[in-house]
Amino acid sequence: MLVLLPPSEGKAPSVAGAPVALGTLSLPGLTAARRTVLDALVGLCRGDGERAAGVLGLSKGLRGEVDRNAGLPEAGALPAGEVYTGVLFDNLGLAKLDAEAYARAERSLLVFSGLWGAVRIGDRIPPYRCSMGVKLPGPGALGAYWRAATEAVLPEVAEGLVLDLRSAAYAAAWKPAGEVAARTATVRVLHERVVDGVVKRSVVSHFNKATKGRLVRDLLNAGAEPAGPGELVDALAALGHRVEVAARGTARRPWQLDVVVAEVH
């Protein structure tokens, strides 16, 4: 099972220590592309700070991120699972997993990134600020840039079920195709409630990240290894989740699953 995750905008504080070594990161086929994006981002942030903030879409309160990006080559690196601190990762709770569940997380989780392309949770990277929606001088629009790099690399590691929990911006960096698409499942979270005796459903926005984090946590804790989307539906149901098949996958599109929740939190 391969689980594709978005990163979080929130990152851990910078730390002292050894800097990132690009050659040690997972998916070595992305090394050259990572170096290109890193050099472009650092070069941008070491130049005109106002221009860099504009390119990165940073508010005045986040201008310190420009300075942090400028120091990335020397910044202390942490395991990626510790760098990302947003809602999805809080609910995934990597630090609370037992040793076996954490080992499964190291094997199966792949976090997409505007700067690194995609990393495993054990890959050591420094905290940074660069979303997939950025258009960097040189590489250009990062979604398109990474798509060209990942198409030659990711099909080799996408064995068995691919559970795609990425947001739209990060899904642009790699689109499963062919037989990989047919065993890929995407997830939408729906809030079901009764209003004046009528059952209504609405798509969950912010809290869908929390639900997706809990889904992955439950699969890891249970040691579930579904071989395909159909088995995933059964595995999640056994773990107490209500899952419906909205569309079955084909060679042109992934399966679409709806996770129905009665409460959003």
Side-chain angles (χ1 to χ4, degrees):
M1 178 173 69
L2 183 66
V3 182
L4 312 181
L5 298 176
S8 61
E9 290 294 332
K11 309 288 193 306
S14 298
V15 297
V20 62
L22 294 182
T24 68
L25 300 182
S26 302
L27 306 176
L30 299 180
T31 300
R34 288 168 175 151
R35 183 172 290 109
T36 296
V37 177
L38 177 61
D39 288 348
L41 178 62
V42 171
L44 171 70
C45 292
R46 288 180 177 176
D48 185 326
E50 289 298 314
R51 176 173 178 254
V55 170
L56 297 174
L58 300 177
S59 65
K60 288 185 177 180
L62 294 173
R63 295 298 169 88
E65 298 291 339
V66 173
D67 293 334
R68 180 153 78 164
N69 282 347
L72 283 174
E74 300 81 31
L78 292 166
E82 297 178 23
V83 169
Y84 299 114
T85 60
V87 173
L88 188 154
F89 290 89
D90 285 346
N91 284 270
L92 171 53
L94 289 169
K96 299 177 182 178
L97 298 178
D98 63 30
E100 291 184 359
Y102 192 85
R104 285 190 285 272
E106 288 185 306
R107 293 194 303 269
S108 61
L109 304 187
L110 197 61
V111 185
F112 277 69
S113 163
L115 176 53
W116 313 110
V119 292
R120 304 279 190 183
I121 62 167
D123 287 333
R124 299 183 66 84
I125 58 174
Y128 64 96
R129 189 80 176 210
C130 184
S131 70
M132 192 65 78
V134 165
K135 186 175 182 179
L136 276 182
L142 291 179
Y145 177 84
W146 282 117
R147 185 162 60 249
T150 58
E151 285 177 349
V153 175
L154 290 188
E156 297 179 1
V157 300
E159 299 178 352
L161 168 69
V162 178
L163 176 55
D164 189 351
L165 302 179
R166 298 172 296 168
S167 56
Y170 290 90
W174 181 56
K175 296 181 182 296
E179 59 90 18
V180 179
R183 48 183 169 81
T184 296
T186 61
V187 170
R188 178 175 63 169
V189 181
L190 299 178
H191 181 207
E192 183 176 277
R193 63 199 188 282
V194 179
V195 180
D196 297 328
V198 178
V199 176
K200 294 188 176 182
R201 288 182 173 181
S202 57
V203 176
V204 175
S205 54
H206 173 73
F207 289 102
N208 91 94
K209 296 179 181 178
T211 300
K212 289 176 178 178
R214 290 191 287 267
L215 291 178
V216 177
R217 180 196 64 202
D218 289 350
L219 289 168
L220 294 172
N221 279 330
E225 294 284 353
E231 290 187 20
L232 173 65
V233 173
D234 295 338
L236 290 174
L239 292 169
H241 298 282
R242 183 177 169 192
V243 185
E244 299 173 356
V245 177
R248 293 183 176 273
T250 69
R252 304 184 70 176
R253 69 177 188 191
W255 287 54
Q256 299 173 44
L257 305 181
D258 287 338
V259 174
V260 184
V261 298
E263 299 179 356
V264 288
H265 58 88

